[in-house]
Amino acid sequence: MERVKIRAEVMWPYFDRVNDYTGKYQVDLAQLSDPAVKALEELGINVNNKEGKGNFITCKSTKPIHVFDKTGEQIEGIPVGNGSKAVAMISFYDWAYGAKKGRSPSLKKLVIEELITYDAGDAPVALDDDDEVL
């Protein structure tokens, strides 16, 4: 088996801009089911676990990540928010850097089934010195 299809919740998506810390486009695929974890581990992919995310993997790319809706249309200009439900096709790539080597997940396709739109809210207003701080 060279790839698996999993259901996940999208967390911290950087589809069309790079993450400041990693310098890559990336997304966490979270709340993975036990069968999804098993299938990913059979591919040799390490699955992480963290409170609030459950079982998850982080997919990174040097190119923008294209995201699609259920009809196959590319989602553009709509900020995908945390908690959006998705189906992802995952493969892997092997890497070596100096004395280190490993296997990382490769996101082949991401289809958003239930979109939660990210809303940054209104720009913050400046605090005046006489404002009460609670």
Side-chain angles (χ1 to χ4, degrees), residues 3 6 8 16 19 29 38 48 55 58 63 69 77 79 82 85 88 91 118:
R3 61 185 186 170
I6 61 171
D16 56 3
N19 179 298
L29 300 176
K38 182 177 182 209
N48 300 300
N55 293 314
T58 301
K63 298 178 182 175
D69 65 18
N82 286 348
K85 306 270 193 268
S91 186
Y118 173 73

Side-chain angles (χ1 to χ4, degrees), residues 25-43:
Y25 301 93
Q26 68 183 59
V27 62
D28 287 352
L29 300 176
Q31 303 300 338
L32 302 177
S33 67
D34 290 340
V37 169
K38 182 177 182 209
L40 290 165
E41 288 176 341
E42 286 175 0
L43 289 178

Side-chain angles (χ1 to χ4, degrees), residues 87-103:
V87 172
M89 186 65 71
I90 304 294
S91 186
F92 61 86
Y93 62 95
D94 294 319
W95 55 268
Y97 184 75
K100 294 182 178 184
K101 63 180 183 173
R103 179 169 280 185

Side-chain angles (χ1 to χ4, degrees), residues 58-120:
T58 301
C59 297
K60 298 177 184 176
S61 176
T62 57
K63 298 178 182 175
I65 298 171
H66 299 291
V67 184
F68 300 89
D69 65 18
K70 290 188 283 189
T71 68
E73 294 294 317
Q74 189 170 339
I75 297 174
E76 295 180 285
I78 301 171
V80 177
N82 286 348
S84 293
K85 306 270 193 268
V87 172
M89 186 65 71
I90 304 294
S91 186
F92 61 86
Y93 62 95
D94 294 319
W95 55 268
Y97 184 75
K100 294 182 178 184
K101 63 180 183 173
R103 179 169 280 185
S104 293
S106 176
L107 180 60
K108 296 300 183 185
K109 188 167 187 178
L110 186 66
V111 176
I112 302 295
E113 292 189 315
E114 294 177 37
L115 176 66
I116 295 175
T117 305
Y118 173 73
D119 180 10

